[in-house]
Amino acid sequence: MPPGPASGTSSSQHAVPVTLTFSWILLLFHTAFGQKPAKLPLIGRKPFIAAWNAPLDMCAIKYNVTANLDRIFHIHGSPRADWTGQNVTIFYANRLGYYPRYTPQGAAVHGGVPQNCSLDMHLFKAYKDIKHFIPAEDFRGLAVIDWEFWRPQWNRNWHKKDIYRQKSRELTAKAYINVTTAQVEELARRRFEKSARAFMQRTIQLGTRLRPDGLWGFYLYPDCHNYNLHEENYTGLCPLLESLRNDELRWLWNSSTALFPSVAIRKSHTNSVGNLHFSRHRVTEALRVASLTSKDYDLPTYVYLRLGYRDEALTFLTTKDLVHTIGESAALGAAGFVIWGDLNLTSSRQGQVVRQPPSGSVRHQRDASGRGVQRLPLPGQRPLYPPQPAGPPLPPPERQQLPHPALGRRRLRCERVALATGPAAPERAIPMPLLRGPRGRTLRQHQRGRRG
């Protein structure tokens, strides 16, 4: 039998890995089961919803063209000011209280900086605005506050927003005498951040108190400022400093009931893998922030994006960029996405919303007559189908939107121009009851009328 001391040494050597293994099991158990649950979906059995927040209603007003958004989006609304009672409501700077700001020309509005504006008067006006734009007390939808002129943290007001630091210093220097430059800087920072926090926190608390079933949050919050896509070897990671600054905004996350980050991308980065990194880390940062609150659940995250690119609104996202934005948001666990657009989408008869086929992106080009639209493959792709000849224009009473027979898919257009006609495709390739021609008739009824 081996001596006693040797036996004790062997037991201790085996005990160390067992202890470490047990510790790792406890850590993994805590990671897997110690997280807070997600908030119940806004719409039952829809853990990932699609929302529309663009003024497509102007198509009906300008061009008598309507789109059935109910078949594509779970909830929808228009950001125009004369629409109220919608389940997607966005509050711009001029629609919610007396939001202090400076115009691009440097003119002060409502005092310019938050410490120079009456918070009580602002909240009284905001109370009336919320009741006007969301009249239903049982409102269950998205309530988004879009305040982008200044940020509540002093160090984040750079570039064009630096005017809020400059004006804050001027106000402080006038209010105190015999103070140094460093003291002016510190006093201005404290006064600005205290007032900015009060404006944002009290405003969103007012909204959650008046419409408690709605999901309230600020557009573009949280932001991790990973906009340097032009850099070589771009990873999309949020700078550590910006994540720490987001941690300092716990008062805002605790007051919110939803988060609305943005993943708008630029035309110059079309189909770039950088868009994937950009979106992934912005959504990941939002999901991290969603768990920082004192609530019993993670805040739902709804990702805002544009129908087109950030700098060219009428150039629509490619299929690849849709996967990099919407697809990545769904894969990471966001609660949904919101497509936003402004009046530029309907400012021209050329504006259109195209439901692209799943095979990939295609480009569109008018033929020589100006009447037909050819769907051309992208460079390097095989032709999708033989080009169809352009037919004569329809008679004036019937100049309405008609689907190209070779497409077999609906097209929503803000344009009262007849598309090219050609050899009819097999009827089984076209969902006939879903396509409506002039005067609300189906395409089959319309063709029978013309033959008669």
Side-chain angles (χ1 to χ4, degrees), residues 434-448:
L434 301 181
L435 298 175
R436 296 286 174 177
R439 295 181 292 278
R441 298 182 300 175
T442 64
L443 184 59
R444 186 175 298 172
Q445 293 170 342
H446 171 64
Q447 292 173 341
R448 289 173 181 170

Side-chain angles (χ1 to χ4, degrees), residues 42-100:
L42 183 63
I43 301 176
R45 299 187 179 183
K46 300 290 182 182
F48 187 80
I49 69 169
W52 176 268
N53 192 200
L56 199 61
D57 54 290
M58 292 298 296
C59 292
I61 298 174
K62 288 184 177 181
Y63 314 114
N64 196 26
V65 175
T66 59
N68 185 9
L69 297 176
D70 293 330
R71 300 190 58 190
I72 307 174
F73 299 95
H74 300 103
I75 59 176
H76 53 83
S78 172
R80 293 202 299 138
D82 53 351
W83 282 77
T84 63
Q86 303 180 106
N87 49 20
V88 181
T89 301
I90 186 166
F91 292 95
Y92 294 115
N94 60 346
R95 300 184 193 174
L96 189 61
Y98 296 120
Y99 176 62

Side-chain angles (χ1 to χ4, degrees), residues 283-295:
V283 175
T284 301
E285 175 66 4
L287 296 176
R288 184 190 71 85
V289 167
S291 64
L292 297 180
T293 69
S294 57
K295 295 179 172 61

Side-chain angles (χ1 to χ4, degrees), residues 118-149:
S118 171
L119 178 59
D120 291 336
M121 292 182 62
H122 160 75
L123 292 176
F124 180 73
K125 174 69 162 48
Y127 175 88
K128 296 190 294 183
D129 291 336
I130 293 172
K131 290 209 162 192
H132 170 73
F133 285 104
I134 310 179
E137 295 184 0
D138 59 347
F139 168 76
R140 286 183 55 84
L142 307 182
V144 187
I145 303 175
D146 186 9
W147 285 1
E148 301 181 58
F149 285 86

Side-chain angles (χ1 to χ4, degrees), residues 113-185:
V113 290
Q115 65 268 36
N116 201 33
C117 180
S118 171
L119 178 59
D120 291 336
M121 292 182 62
H122 160 75
L123 292 176
F124 180 73
K125 174 69 162 48
Y127 175 88
K128 296 190 294 183
D129 291 336
I130 293 172
K131 290 209 162 192
H132 170 73
F133 285 104
I134 310 179
E137 295 184 0
D138 59 347
F139 168 76
R140 286 183 55 84
L142 307 182
V144 187
I145 303 175
D146 186 9
W147 285 1
E148 301 181 58
F149 285 86
W150 45 261
R151 303 185 182 104
Q153 292 163 298
W154 179 264
N155 291 329
R156 276 183 165 175
N157 287 293
W158 53 69
H159 195 40
K160 295 181 180 179
K161 295 177 174 59
D162 188 56
I163 186 175
Y164 295 94
R165 295 191 290 194
Q166 297 175 9
K167 296 299 182 180
S168 296
R169 296 186 191 103
E170 293 177 8
L171 285 175
T172 303
K174 292 178 181 178
Y176 297 91
I177 59 175
N178 298 329
V179 290
T180 64
T181 303
Q183 290 173 331
V184 168
E185 181 77 11

